[in-house]
Amino acid sequence: MQSMIRSYSPDEVTVFATACPRNCYSTCSLKVRVAEGRIIGIDPHAANLSGNEGPCIKGLSYIERAESPDRILHPLKRNADGVLNRISWEEAFELISTKLRDYRNKFGPHSILFHAASGMSGLLNTVSTNFWRLFGGVTLTYGNLCWPAGLEATRLTLGANKHNVPWDLENARLIILWGKNPAETNIQEMMPIDKSLEQGGRLIVVDPRRTPSSDRAEILVQIKPGTDAALALGIARELICNDWIDKDFINSYVKGYDEFASSVEAYTPEIVSEICGLPESGIKGLARMIGNTKPMTLVPGFGMQRYSNGGQTIRCLLALQVITGNIGKPGACWHYANLQSYVFDEIKEPESYYPGTEDRSFRREVSVAKLGEDILKLKDPEIKMIWVERGNPLTQNPDSNLILKAYRKADFKVVIEQFMTDTAREADLILPSKNMFEQADIIGSYWNPYVQLKQKIIEPAGEVKPETEIYYELAHRLGFHPEEIKKNIPEPNDKSVNIFLEKYLESYPELSMEELKTGPQLADCHEEIPFADGRFPTPSGKIELLSEEANMRWALDKLPSYDPLQSAPKEFPLQLLSPNSKNRIHSQFNNLQIIKQFEKEAVLYMNPHDAISRGLKNHEMVDMRNDKGDARVKICFDMGIRKTCVVLTNGHWHSDGASPNLFTRGKETDMGHGTAFHDNWVEVKKI
């Protein structure tokens, strides 16, 4: 790859402003250097105040990713012997259009499952939904793998998912990272955290394991996983008993405080200590710090709400911010999700994930949390064809073996991919996917406040066609009405794509394409400190600790409550955690050499106490199993992990030896149709 090592003069280099479209907090703004039609450098964009120090290793690896020798560059069809062979696009389009007609005519359009995930964000993703609606509707998925329980908990309480700008964190005098490890998964967030600490701020981390983020903290609270709600309610009781609350704020802006105060009386330090496996003195000390240090920002991670009690857990944590008055002020914030840049969404997350939010042509949907189970249950018609794009469900959705069974039951599977993932390996037809540099799009962020243009920078490699072009070609072959095609799917050229995107900008003149080409922009409706006006878009117009909707929609307690997880089975006593890794965004980047040098294979991290008691040695291969699956994996001793917990990071492909989802079960969270990945236990034995 000579373009990576040759020196170029300034006249030979063109610099483009763009943004990373991955499912990542940071959504980094980048400047990309191009010479001779190739990416030669990736640099930070100073206009993004959330992260102008530079991209992470994954962002830097885009240079390799664009030109990887493993990239799929041509359509591939599986023959009768199971071998994938290169075919032409004409053959691919003819095969797909024939299959689509046949399945629709014989079994109805709902015999086809369309499954799209979060592999690349952007407004052009709406084209796929447009196509399948024009086709007559197909079976879709509902729910989300990532964060909807927490989104729904926040929506029920505050009315909207928005938080202070990321750089406001430096104004906090107390920051609590509760189940979040930004030093690895949101590295840009560590900059304002460090500035707060330099100014005398304090940092608490609540996490079952020691992480690079907790190494910066004054206190690490190694809680028993799944009991976070009990700890929050115990702290709330201490705050109330000691009068460390903001009565004026509560009286003005909060519904249900008296009922909440009564409900937490049972959560004494003694009881919470037993539930959470923490010392009573530590619980009281946490409450003292929280009640006497302002302003405070609480930053919850997504992992806690990936339990079956996840939504109620988030409501309990949020209650701490509410009763101390740490909402709507500089440095005082519930820092979970900021959807302010999603200005083009008619229905915002999490409600957009719920069944029935699409039009009636998509009247049949399956749960992403229970994907394998739901597909296998479908009748009249059964699923005959599966179409996957922007996702790798055989790695990322729970219960891999059951999904594999469901996929293999289907007659025909199409996967649009850049690399030979676990899901692509099961496809009958693979279509090469664009990368982030090969088509323009507009993206938002769920952490920083910016709307950004992901510019087209280079021409697609090989025979790669963007998904919009694939749909355009198929729409014509299937005989869609020309006016409907024109309205819903851009023609396969850059001008038409830009016109399609500009339509979204018509209501936002401050977000012109020309301005977006220079770097990240803010919509005029953006609030730097949300809720500063004391207005909350809830049914009561107040913060709702007592939520009627929580009961009516989800059949849960109206108040934040702790609902214990099921006890660990005797035969599987180790609780499996699958946090995100600094080396991947879910299962993306896993195959690149720049990443492989840091993490060659899946590793199971264990507390030495648990390992030695089983006769296991550091770095040996072990047998890891539960009732859902088994694998051989290398263990690594880690004194920083709470006893009886093991960690296998999210995103490992099955070809790495062990994907966490071999061991997870398909189960939804208590609200939001999220995925309860962490309600899982395993055993580890010597081979």
Side-chain angles (χ1 to χ4, degrees), residues 17-19 26-31 43-54 165-167 191 448-453 515-522 526 528:
T18 190
S26 299
T27 318
C28 292
S29 304
L30 306 170
K31 287 188 174 180
D43 304 302
H45 196 306
N48 187 332
L49 300 180
S50 302
N52 53 21
E53 296 294 324
V165 289
W167 51 90
M191 292 183 290
N448 73 51
Y450 297 109
V451 178
Q452 303 194 69
L453 175 65
E515 288 296 321
L516 287 168
K517 286 179 181 178
T518 67
Q521 303 294 320
L522 295 173
H526 168 252
E528 189 151 316

Side-chain angles (χ1 to χ4, degrees), residues 302-371:
F302 296 164
M304 288 173 304
Q305 52 89 63
R306 293 176 185 158
Y307 291 95
S308 54
N309 63 7
Q312 284 291 68
T313 293
I314 294 296
R315 289 183 73 202
C316 292
L317 269 62
L318 178 47
L320 299 179
Q321 293 294 112
V322 173
I323 65 176
T324 56
N326 280 294
I327 298 287
K329 304 166 187 174
C333 175
W334 170 252
H335 206 95
Y336 181 75
N338 188 20
L339 303 185
Q340 293 192 75
S341 66
Y342 289 16
V343 295
F344 309 108
D345 293 4
E346 293 183 13
I347 304 175
K348 277 195 167 56
E349 302 168 37
E351 291 178 293
S352 61
Y353 299 141
Y354 298 168
T357 54
E358 301 287 351
D359 64 48
R360 286 187 58 79
S361 60
F362 301 111
R363 63 184 180 273
R364 193 167 81 159
E365 299 167 280
V366 295
S367 169
V368 295
K370 301 181 293 181
L371 185 65

